[in-house]
Amino acid sequence: VKSAERFAYNSSSKGMLLVNTADSTGLAQQARKASGLGLDLYDERQEGALSSTTAVKYANKLIIVPEAGPMKSATVVSVKAALAKGAHLLVGLDEKSAKLEIGVAATEAAKKNPVRDLLGIRLSERNIFKVDASKSKIILSNPASVIGLEGLKNALQISDIILKPVSDKTKELLAATASGDTQSAGFARAALLSELKQEMLDDVIVSGKTFEKTPSKLKLTQLLTILAGATADEKKILGTLHEELETQRAALTGRDARKVAILQILAPLKAASEGLL
């Protein structure tokens, strides 16, 4: 049974769900609704192979394959073309489906950048100080058939947060906390901390001096800019981030000058954590 929904590109959509089985289509449609994200749906059974012309429209957006399965080779080629233009990719796979064409494409793309664990998924993201590295974020999750509707909804929401800049992650943490949405707040907090801790590690890896010489260019500075204009309640929320960031700073290898610079940059956050800001 094919999807009753025909593909239509929406320029304001956040990405595209790429499916080709009845089960994955049904789960994708339900998860899209549950997540509240505007996503286009492309059913390969109904539309035929995905063209590169269509795929590259999702440059800087997210292409989601909820369940890696046998796909038309032309579709996989088109997904690769979109990645080359800066698209991001979320694929649900396991050891078996990782050997299929779309699974190989995803895992090979993930190898291009450092990979870290975050909220039950694996995130491949470039070292931000390596300007020539691929900007595409590759997100590997378990297959939709394994994680079900709730798991796929979560993977979509986590991926959406991952793609946002630090300033938007920070604002989402504050808004979700204020509204009592503990799950969204948890996702935003984890993604934010993961990215800021990785920024420290990235600088160590390239033997950089960004924290010492040009802190205005840091993602961490985006957080501190919001902190400076935050309300008293918001400062309390942001202050809770200090402990994990300080733990990461203290564990860094390399030059002591970097650790000292980060300590100074984190000072307002420390003050917020102690109720002194």
Side-chain angles (χ1 to χ4, degrees):
V1 179
K2 295 179 181 178
S3 167
E5 181 179 341
R6 296 303 303 266
F7 172 74
Y9 173 71
N10 182 343
S11 61
S12 64
S13 74
K14 294 194 170 187
M16 171 181 61
L17 288 152
L18 179 56
V19 295
N20 68 354
T21 68
D23 287 345
S24 64
T25 300
L27 271 174
Q29 289 171 316
Q30 293 176 67
R32 174 180 60 181
K33 183 178 181 180
S35 68
L37 299 177
L39 297 166
D40 300 334
L41 182 89
Y42 190 100
D43 187 342
E44 193 187 54
R45 300 168 301 157
Q46 187 157 263
E47 311 295 343
L50 176 69
S51 71
S52 59
T53 304
T54 297
V56 298
K57 290 180 179 179
Y58 293 90
N60 303 313
K61 296 188 179 188
L62 183 65
I63 296 175
I64 304 123
V65 182
E67 184 97 19
M71 284 189 158
K72 297 181 187 297
S73 291
T75 293
V76 179
V77 169
S78 296
V79 170
K80 290 179 180 178
L83 291 177
K85 295 288 186 180
H88 309 289
L89 181 64
L90 164 61
V91 178
L93 44 65
D94 55 20
E95 190 175 345
K96 183 178 178 181
S97 58
K99 297 173 183 176
L100 298 174
E101 203 170 353
I102 188 66
V104 170
T107 51
E108 287 299 316
K111 289 176 184 176
K112 292 181 180 179
N113 285 317
V115 179
R116 65 185 190 269
D117 293 315
L118 172 62
L119 293 166
I121 58 96
R122 299 274 287 158
L123 169 62
S124 164
E125 184 175 38
R126 74 177 181 133
N127 182 318
I128 59 161
F129 302 113
K130 292 185 177 181
V131 293
D132 295 333
S134 170
K135 293 182 180 179
S136 294
K137 293 179 174 66
I138 310 298
I139 303 163
L140 305 178
S141 75
N142 287 314
S145 59
V146 173
I147 58 179
L149 173 58
E150 185 69 15
L152 181 55
K153 173 189 78 89
N154 291 346
L156 293 178
Q157 290 179 326
I158 291 164
S159 299
D160 181 56
I161 291 170
I162 285 171
L163 298 188
K164 292 178 178 178
V166 160
S167 56
D168 287 354
K169 287 183 176 76
T170 305
K171 291 171 186 174
E172 185 148 338
L173 168 61
L174 294 174
T177 304
S179 68
D181 184 351
T182 53
Q183 185 180 60
S184 293
F187 289 165
R189 176 187 172 84
L192 181 59
L193 282 168
S194 176
E195 188 165 3
L196 294 176
K197 289 191 288 185
Q198 189 63 44
E199 182 176 49
M200 297 182 198
L201 293 173
D202 284 351
D203 195 60
V204 171
I205 289 166
V206 300
S207 298
K209 294 185 178 180
T210 307
F211 286 91
E212 298 149 69
K213 303 291 187 183
T214 51
S216 62
K217 295 181 178 180
L218 295 168
K219 295 177 180 181
L220 181 56
T221 302
Q222 294 179 37
L223 168 65
L224 296 174
T225 299
I226 293 174
L227 176 68
T231 65
D233 285 344
E234 289 172 340
K235 286 175 180 174
K236 287 180 184 177
I237 296 166
L238 296 179
T240 65
L241 302 172
H242 177 262
E243 184 177 0
E244 278 198 46
L245 295 175
E246 168 56 22
T247 299
Q248 179 75 310
R249 182 203 70 84
L252 291 176
T253 57
R255 292 190 318 279
D256 284 341
R258 179 188 294 108
K259 295 172 74 169
V260 171
I262 297 173
L263 184 69
Q264 292 170 344
I265 293 168
L266 287 175
L269 206 59
K270 184 176 189 289
S273 74
E274 297 170 346
L276 300 175
L277 196 62

